Amino acid sequence: MTVTRSARLAGAALCVAVAAGCAQPTAGRPVADSASAEQATSDAVRRGLDAFQSHFVNLGDEHARVYNYLNFGDVKITTEHESYKVGDPPAVLLKRRFAKDGSWSETLTPPSSETDYVKLDDDHKFLAPTPWVSVPSLWAGTGFDNCFLLTAWVACHLDKAIGQTKLDAPDEQPNEARATEDGFEVTTGALLGVMLDEGFISIPEEKRDGVTDPMKKTVVPVVLKFDKDMGFTGFEIRDTVSDGDAPQLELQLEYEVIGKATKDDVPDAPDAGETTAITDKAAVDQFWEKFNDRTPEN
């Protein structure tokens, strides 16, 4: 793979930042200038954030995974998504399960389709007499946007949260960069309250009062990961936020670029005999409400 000039510069800045931050005075060797080291680190972080944003603005054919774990009092949430995006206009397949050993649902959107096809997982089979349900596409009439893809949606809202935190709590936001065996890592952060407002850290509405103001004002570290060519490979958010007697909030959110998606990864639309069509708006809304319920009642 050809390394671009911007990738070489980003790598150089990261290496300089890491080396300068670890320099120790030795005989005959000048101590790294701290201002230069800080500037190199800031440049590296900025290039990392630019590469992160560029990845999703120019999202290509991608197979990605998002893992979400949250533990807050009696609220315990685990969700895993995998997405496949291929072509332009794209064919999209989104898979979801609510437990590590749970069954997968699938949501299929063929290229330029006005219809989404949903294959029901075991916990939601009662929603239709057939394995699949068809509903009006979530992006019918508006066209596809990369941030509509649920895995990418998480990254798009994380980007907003990082930007807002830079405005609201710049002195508390980490600003670090380091070289790794696989490439580079950039550590920044986002306020818990902003992440909750953006919706990608989700606590049921009836439990939100348990999150105190000091917890919301906590900046949670965000680690962005890149390969040696400064290509985005994923991110990780992992922290435990606490405040006195309030329940601890444990959270883990990971995005992983698994590889390039191909046409073979996305199935054809199911046959009509396997599909129950839902078109009435009220019925469609009710379907999505039940489908997204982790413990649906028949």
Side-chain angles (χ1 to χ4, degrees):
M1 181 182 291
T2 301
V3 182
T4 64
R5 179 175 181 273
S6 60
R8 289 196 299 270
L9 288 172
L14 280 161
C15 291
V16 167
V18 172
C22 298
Q24 299 294 327
T26 57
R29 179 181 174 188
V31 178
D33 179 78
S34 60
S36 297
E38 290 178 6
Q39 186 60 52
T41 298
S42 294
D43 290 345
V45 171
R46 180 66 263 167
R47 289 189 176 94
L49 288 169
D50 287 346
F52 168 59
Q53 294 166 348
S54 178
H55 178 84
F56 291 98
V57 169
N58 304 297
L59 189 66
D61 296 347
E62 181 173 278
H63 175 196
R65 169 185 172 271
V66 168
Y67 174 78
N68 181 27
Y69 168 80
L70 185 144
N71 184 3
F72 182 60
D74 59 357
V75 177
K76 299 182 187 302
I77 295 174
T78 300
T79 311
E80 188 174 356
H81 288 96
E82 285 194 25
S83 64
Y84 303 80
K85 173 185 174 289
V86 183
D88 185 19
V92 172
L93 175 66
L94 181 69
K95 300 172 65 176
R96 182 197 71 188
R97 63 181 178 181
F98 286 141
K100 188 174 182 179
D101 57 351
S103 66
W104 291 91
S105 67
E106 298 182 4
T107 301
L108 168 68
T109 307
S112 301
S113 176
E114 296 288 302
T115 300
D116 289 338
Y117 299 89
V118 182
K119 186 178 182 180
L120 301 171
D121 59 277
D122 291 344
D123 289 340
H124 297 84
K125 283 184 175 179
F126 71 90
L127 289 173
T130 54
W132 292 81
V133 169
S134 67
V135 291
S137 176
L138 294 176
W139 49 75
T142 63
F144 178 79
D145 184 281
N146 291 335
C147 289
F148 292 168
L149 184 63
L150 188 57
T151 48
W153 178 91
V154 173
C156 292
H157 285 266
L158 171 60
D159 181 51
K160 291 181 180 179
I162 292 170
Q164 189 61 48
T165 301
K166 187 174 183 179
L167 297 175
D168 295 344
D171 294 338
E172 299 175 43
Q173 190 174 47
N175 192 60
E176 302 167 6
R178 73 182 188 94
T180 66
E181 290 184 2
D182 300 322
F184 311 102
E185 288 184 354
V186 164
T187 301
T188 179
L191 287 159
L192 176 62
V194 177
M195 293 194 290
L196 290 169
D197 290 343
E198 289 294 332
F200 62 92
I201 300 296
S202 180
I203 296 176
E205 194 66 36
E206 65 273 15
K207 302 291 184 179
R208 284 285 187 96
D209 289 344
V211 183
T212 66
D213 286 341
M215 293 172 72
K216 292 177 182 178
K217 293 177 181 177
T218 299
V219 175
V220 177
V222 177
V223 180
L224 307 176
K225 302 180 180 183
F226 306 90
D227 62 21
K228 294 184 185 300
D229 296 329
M230 209 59 187
F232 173 76
T233 61
F235 66 73
E236 181 177 83
I237 303 171
R238 188 193 294 259
D239 202 7
T240 298
V241 182
S242 60
D243 176 28
D245 294 331
Q248 284 191 335
L249 173 62
E250 300 176 72
L251 56 91
Q252 181 181 351
L253 181 62
E254 298 178 4
Y255 188 109
E256 178 186 5
V257 178
I258 297 176
K260 185 175 181 179
T262 70
K263 291 181 179 179
D264 293 338
D265 292 322
V266 182
D268 295 329
D271 295 335
E274 297 181 291
T275 306
T276 297
I278 303 177
T279 56
D280 176 74
K281 185 180 185 309
V284 169
D285 290 343
Q286 185 179 44
F287 166 76
W288 284 120
E289 181 178 356
K290 288 283 189 180
F291 178 71
N292 290 320
D293 191 336
R294 306 181 70 86
T295 57
E297 295 182 4
N298 199 331

